[in-house]
Every structure is written in structure tokens, then in C-alpha cells.
Amino acid sequence: MMTSHALHQLLTHAAQLYPEHTAVEEPEQGAITYRTLAVLSDHLRDRLCALGVQAGDRVGIYMRKSIDTIAAIFGILKTGAAYVPVDPGAPAARNAYIMNDCAVKVVVIEERFASKFCEELAQLGTQPQFLRLVGTGGGEPLRQALEQEQARHPAPVVATALLAPTDLAYILYTSGSTGRPKGVMLSHDNAVSYVDWCSEMFQPQAHDRFSSHAPFHFDLSILDIYVPLKHGATLVLIAEDIGKTPQQLAPLIAERRISVWYSAPSILSLLTQYGNLEQHDYSALRLVLFAGEVFPVKHLRALQALWPRPRYFNLYGPTETNVCTFYEIPVHIPEERTAPFPIGTTCSHVQTKVMDEHGNEVSPGDEGELGVSGRGVMQGYWNLPEQNSRAFLVDSAGVQWYKTGDIVVAGNDGNYIFLGRRDRMVKRHGYRVELGEIEAGLYHHATIKEAAVIAVPDEASGVKIKAFLSCRDAKRPSLIELKRFCAEHLPLYMIPDLFSWHEALPKTSTDKIDYQRLKEMA
Amino acid sequence: MADDIQKTVKEYILKEFLPGEDPEELTETTPLITGGILDSIATLKLVAFIEERYALTLAAHEADVEYLDTIADITHLILSKKP
């Protein structure tokens, strides 16, 4: 296997070795071979360059997950620009903020999202160029859009960009505590080093069939997309609506003969409970990988009983480093075990240590913050110098460490055990949620005077999000109105489960909201 | 029949997903999924409730916003399944 320094070279090499293999399947929509995917993404590269995109630019992706989107990702990478995928289901205002924040030059967008998005962009005083697709599915709408443009304004064939390993490949926006999402900048080398670790660890083969369950604006997508496409394997795209409906997902995994599954634990818990897994044939499945949140042991044990054949791995890492530690779940989980499994030991492409606030390694057995350094660590947050200086720490040996914010302890066997967060970030359905972003969203409501949000542990779903509110008016908005308001201003996974109204929220002696008291009240 | 189903489904949604809400606020046309009241897990719970209460089975594609977004939609779906 040749070594690649840029993500798009993985596809180029695989297309030379396996031109007629199926690269991507999109159930109900079609499939595409390596050769065709390479050619389609070349055509997009040429069109984007004709629109003025250059190496070092950003290009937005505002589309449903599809073969068209995969081709768009590679087309953008081939220009030397970084791709910026957004959640097409999130409020248009949030997506406009993101695209404006990182100053995308072009957005590849489905027509149905364009008008609302344009309005929001206009309010921000910006207007990137659009490459509009009538829809998505099987790669055909992208091919059509490129052909039509080509007929109107022929784009010359250009060379694929030659890049340095530190050049940006993509920016993933995650929840920001100030109420604004923040862009995590990741380079080609950040991703390639991780993909190479996956190759070494999971030994992918050209006959493997990988799931793509996570959305493309989520960091799980990096393994999903690039690991199979490096090895000539097949990627099976799972549509968002099917991906959250266990009754539809369970037969799909069996029928599509998925051999490597990767997702957040929440959908695996739902498959266990509602998927009727015993009715289907999962003999092709050899690996079950999960990441993003703690997998309740009760559900993991039940899943292992239903799917006894595959090996199970807990992968850990924030978007800023992607996966940096891993742990293989034992074949037999004792009945009495309730404690979550460790996050494990360090992946070979990064270094980790448990450190105090000065970056000094703590004594064995003491808790501290997990620091990560090495090839997997992000370049920084887009245009947020203050947050960048807070995110990194240089230790006495001169090594720069990313501070994960996760408090861990190393167990006797050397595996890290996750204990909690240093700040107000929680994981919900695998998504990272800054409680401050929910509060900022609630404050947009005209009648809300005070808003404070906390996470309450919940056995079934991991955490429940509870909002404490006080109101300016005598008449409070109804719960239904509040939830609808949230649905318009926040991604769906950030909508609180519970709301409670108060005359005023409890305060500390310095007149700040007393979160400790709120937790007791919850 | 339709009125009974509406009442039962409404009571279930109020009790499970909108505790403390004024029942008057929840009408047969209130958007449940697109309005942020039912997330994916809540939708699964609702489907399990409907299947058990009315002794019927929903097809996989029916556990979806197209069939479940309002109490009127849900009632229509249940009635279409009844002999």
C-alpha cells in the first residue's frame, strides 16, 4: 500500500488499484465505482477552480448525505481547499453563521435549502457563490449540475493540488459555549495519521463493507469515509431518517452485509431494544466500533448477546483530536458489571498524558485532565485566538498539549477511565452539546428573563437536559411553544427534555446563577 | 372511535413528553416531531405505546414524521390499521 499525505490521494490510489469495485452504495439511490467517483470528483475540482476556488480556501457543503456529497468532498479536497460540511437539518441561521464565519468561497448546495439560506446570508452581508443541485441521490444530480455548467461555461481541466501535510482538509463546527458554534480546523495529516492507525488496528480489506451512520459534519465520518476508500472497500451510506429508526436500520445492516459498523452508542442501544435483531442474519459483521459517549453496560451486554460474533471497540477522542485512545471490550461481560468500560490506551499516532493545570504529569493513580499531542491534534479553532490559547498548553519540556477538558484516571492496567468534564459540555445521542449554547438560544425568546441549563443523569438515555427559566411577563409561554421555538433556533439534539419555571433563579453570593443549587433542585 | 383514539394518544403524549403542560395547548394539529416535542427516542416510545395499546404493528417506514407528526396523523394511521 502506498503512503498518502493528502486525503484525496487515498481515493486516487484506490481508484488505480480497484477501478471497478463499488466505492459507495446509497440504498434506494444507487452505487458508484472507484473509477466513476474519481472522475466525478475531478469534474467538480475543475468547476470549483473555474469559480475561483484556490488552495487554502474553504468550500461549504449543504446537502443531504449521499454519493453526491462524497464526490463533493473529494472534489473540494482536490482543489486544495478545505470542506466545511453543515447539518442540512439545522436552522439556516446557524448554517449561515458557520459559512460566513469561515468565509467559504463557494457552497455546494441542494436547491431546496438555497432560498432560506440566502436570506440568512444576506442578513450577515455575505454572498458566496452557489453550485446548485436539484437534489441528491446516487451522484446523478451532481453530474447533471456539472454538465449543465460545462455546457454554459466550459471549465478547463486543472491539476489536483499538491499540498503540505499541515494544509487544512476540513473544518467541523461543534457546539460553542458562547452560543456560537466554533470551527475545529483539521489538516490532511491530522486525518491521514488517524486513518493509517485505523488501517493498522482494524486491517480493512477490499471485501469489507463499512457503515456510514454518522452525519458528515460529525467527526465519526472521517473513519467512515476514508478508511474504506483507502482500501478499496465499500462504504454503505445510511440515510438520516433510517439511521434513527431501529426497525428500518436493523434489516438494512443485515441485508447490506455490513462488516464494519461505527456509530455513537445511542443508536446501538436503540437497536438492542427495538431492532428485533434476533430476526436477521448478521454473519458478515466482524467489527462494532462506537464512540462519542459512554455506552451503558446494560445495553452493551444485551447487544453482545444478540451479536456474539464481532469484536467490539470503544473509541475515544474529541473532535479536536479525533480518536486518541481505544479499548477492546471483553468477549464476556460479567452480569454484575455496571461500571462503564475504560476509554483505554493511547493510539500509536498520538501521545497522551494525565496532567495537572500546569501540564505536569500527575502521580500514578491520581486524576487529572487528559492531554493529547502529536499528529492527530487539530491546527486550532477558526478565528478564535483566545480559545486557541486556552485550548493548548506547552509543558516544561516544550511539548504542546491539547487540553481535552476530560478528567481521567489511569487504572492499574494502564487504561484510562473517564471521570467527567472540567466544563459545561455534555454528550447527548453522541453529539457534543455546550449547555451555554442552549442557554444562549433560549435567551432569544422575548419573554425569557433568565435561563440556566443543566444535564441530569438518566439511566435510559445517558443524560436529560433540564432548563430552568424565569419570565418577564405574567403569562408564561407554553411548553409546546417553547419546544417549537427551540426547534427553530437550535439543532434538534439540543432541545431540553424538561423545562421548569421559577420566579427567579437561585444566585450565588456574587449574584451569578447558582448551578450547584439547580443540580440539587433537579 | 376516532375521538377515543385522539383522547388516548393525547393523554399519553401529555403524560410522557409534556408533563405539566396545559392540555388545551396540545391540539390535533400541533406539530410533534417538527415542533421539537418528540425526539427520535420519544417517537420510538410512542410507536411502542401505539402498537401495544391497539394491538397492531406499524411498518418500519410508518415510524416517521410523515405519519406521526400530529395527533390527527397518528389517529388516521391507527384507524387505517384497524379491521
Side-chain angles (χ1 to χ4, degrees):
Chain A
M1 179 69 53
M2 291 161 85
T3 50
S4 295
H5 302 294
L7 281 171
H8 49 272
Q9 287 175 334
L10 301 175
L11 173 65
T12 307
H13 292 162
Q16 287 161 1
L17 291 171
Y18 312 98
E20 300 308 327
H21 274 210
T22 299
V24 190
E25 278 180 18
E26 189 181 350
E28 313 298 324
Q29 300 289 334
I32 192 167
T33 63
Y34 275 85
R35 186 202 305 275
T36 313
L37 179 60
V39 170
L40 185 59
S41 54
D42 280 350
H43 289 169
L44 178 62
R45 169 201 64 200
D46 298 343
R47 174 55 50 195
L48 291 171
C49 288
L51 289 171
V53 172
Q54 297 176 336
D57 284 340
R58 274 80 48 214
V59 175
I61 296 180
Y62 203 140
M63 302 155 74
R64 194 178 59 83
K65 183 199 278 187
S66 55
I67 288 173
D68 309 76
T69 316
I70 296 278
I73 286 172
F74 281 100
I76 293 166
L77 291 173
K78 285 176 176 181
T79 68
Y83 67 92
V84 185
V86 293
D87 175 3
R94 191 175 198 267
N95 290 339
Y97 171 81
I98 290 171
M99 299 283 192
N100 181 52
D101 183 54
C102 66
V104 295
K105 197 166 241 175
V106 175
V107 183
V108 187
I109 187 168
E110 276 183 69
E111 189 62 52
R112 63 188 166 132
F113 301 123
S115 75
K116 182 87 178 87
F117 182 53
C118 264
E119 283 170 30
E120 297 291 346
L121 285 171
Q123 288 194 22
L124 300 171
T126 182
Q127 187 56 69
Q129 299 180 77
F130 283 3
L131 180 68
R132 293 168 188 254
L133 275 57
V134 291
T136 53
E140 193 54 26
L142 178 63
R143 196 184 58 75
Q144 275 175 17
L146 291 172
E147 274 180 6
Q148 282 165 9
E149 290 289 318
Q150 191 66 9
R152 275 200 291 266
H153 310 286
V157 174
V158 293
T160 289
L162 290 173
L163 297 171
T166 51
D167 285 336
L168 284 194
Y170 50 96
I171 304 178
L172 301 180
Y173 276 77
T174 68
S175 182
S177 56
T178 57
R180 296 290 193 193
K182 58 179 192 253
V184 181
M185 301 189 290
L186 293 134
S187 70
H188 282 267
D189 192 54
N190 291 152
V192 168
S193 61
Y194 169 50
V195 170
D196 287 347
W197 175 78
C198 292
S199 297
E200 171 193 312
M201 191 68 207
F202 303 123
Q203 300 289 315
Q205 307 293 325
H207 59 257
D208 266 320
R209 296 171 60 78
F210 279 66
S211 65
S212 161
H213 179 267
F216 291 161
H217 59 277
F218 201 16
D219 61 353
L220 273 70
S221 67
I222 303 308
L223 187 158
D224 294 342
I225 298 171
Y226 301 104
V227 176
L229 296 191
K230 173 182 170 184
H231 292 274
T234 299
L235 173 62
V236 180
L237 300 180
I238 295 167
E240 192 191 339
D241 53 343
I242 292 174
K244 60 189 182 193
T245 314
Q247 298 91 333
Q248 290 180 269
L249 184 55
L252 186 138
I253 298 169
E255 285 156 16
R256 294 278 161 176
R257 308 286 298 161
I258 301 285
S259 61
V260 182
W261 173 266
Y262 186 30
S263 72
S266 48
I267 185 61
L268 289 169
S269 294
L270 292 178
L271 278 169
T272 310
Q273 295 170 82
Y274 301 97
N276 301 317
L277 297 180
E278 65 286 352
Q279 295 176 5
H280 306 284
D281 170 14
Y282 295 101
S283 55
L285 199 56
R286 70 177 186 89
L287 281 172
V288 174
L289 314 175
F290 53 89
E293 63 194 337
V294 174
F295 199 151
V297 171
K298 181 174 91 172
H299 296 313
L300 179 53
R301 188 188 294 114
L303 179 64
Q304 246 187 359
L306 290 158
W307 282 351
R309 187 171 170 272
R311 294 169 71 189
Y312 290 75
F313 286 87
N314 180 17
L315 307 183
Y316 158 87
T319 305
E320 286 84 344
T321 64
N322 213 319
V323 173
C324 57
T325 72
F326 69 102
Y327 181 82
E328 182 165 7
I329 305 296
V331 176
H332 176 71
I333 304 176
E335 277 305 316
E336 62 278 11
R337 182 177 182 119
T338 53
F341 283 101
I343 56 173
T345 51
T346 309
C347 303
S348 60
H349 67 299
V350 292
Q351 296 81 47
T352 60
K353 70 174 175 180
V354 188
M355 55 192 196
D356 64 17
E357 63 270 33
H358 307 295
N360 300 315
E361 199 156 356
V362 300
S363 307
D366 283 357
E367 60 185 66
E369 181 169 358
L370 185 69
V372 188
S373 74
R375 287 175 69 192
V377 179
M378 68 161 175
Q379 309 298 294
Y381 299 112
W382 179 266
N383 203 18
L384 291 170
E386 249 179 64
Q387 297 212 26
N388 281 330
S389 62
R390 281 203 300 273
F392 293 103
L393 177 154
V394 178
D395 68 11
S396 53
V399 178
Q400 177 170 278
W401 296 86
Y402 168 68
K403 301 193 288 180
T404 60
D406 286 334
I407 306 300
V408 303
V409 63
N412 294 333
D413 56 0
N415 285 303
Y416 292 132
I417 298 162
F418 172 76
L419 300 175
R421 285 290 298 173
R422 185 167 52 79
D423 55 18
R424 299 188 61 224
M425 191 187 84
V426 298
K427 287 297 190 83
R428 190 161 185 246
H429 306 173
Y431 288 96
R432 148 173 170 172
V433 175
E434 287 282 1
L435 298 175
E437 185 170 359
I438 302 177
E439 289 168 358
L442 289 166
Y443 272 115
H444 280 123
H445 195 289
T447 65
I448 288 176
K449 188 173 158 201
E450 292 174 301
V453 175
I454 63 166
V456 186
D458 180 75
E459 204 203 335
S461 61
V463 290
K464 280 202 149 115
I465 293 177
K466 179 162 187 176
F468 293 84
L469 303 166
S470 72
C471 192
R472 288 180 204 289
D473 301 343
K475 183 168 179 350
R476 296 165 173 168
S478 71
L479 259 180
I480 292 169
E481 186 196 326
L482 269 180
K483 290 215 172 196
R484 196 182 305 180
F485 176 84
C486 288
E488 285 163 10
H489 289 81
L490 294 167
L492 289 179
Y493 58 85
M494 287 195 198
I495 300 176
D497 300 287
L498 306 161
F499 294 87
S500 77
W501 288 101
H502 303 266
E503 283 304 310
L505 300 191
K507 304 287 181 343
T508 63
S509 57
T510 54
D511 209 33
K512 289 185 174 151
I513 287 176
D514 187 346
Y515 284 96
Q516 204 46 48
R517 177 87 191 91
L518 291 177
K519 281 182 187 158
E520 289 159 19
M521 287 160 66
Chain B
M1 182 74 178
D3 286 354
D4 286 350
I5 294 172
Q6 279 205 2
K7 184 164 170 283
T8 306
V9 172
K10 179 173 168 167
E11 279 171 4
Y12 177 77
I13 292 171
L14 281 169
K15 177 170 72 80
E16 285 291 319
F17 311 118
L18 294 166
E21 178 63 306
D22 176 359
E24 298 278 303
E25 297 282 343
L26 181 63
T27 70
E28 61 174 292
T29 57
T30 303
L32 300 170
I33 297 174
T34 54
I37 295 168
L38 300 181
D39 64 10
S40 53
I41 294 172
T43 308
L44 290 170
K45 279 190 178 166
L46 175 69
V47 168
F49 168 76
I50 292 169
E51 291 188 333
E52 195 184 324
R53 180 74 172 71
Y54 295 100
L56 49 81
T57 307
L58 298 189
H61 72 276
E62 289 167 335
D64 193 62
V65 63
E66 200 183 323
Y67 295 90
L68 300 173
D69 201 31
T70 64
I71 293 178
D73 293 341
I74 296 166
T75 307
H76 180 74
L77 178 66
I78 295 170
L79 284 172
S80 75
K81 298 264 166 185
K82 285 299 225 188

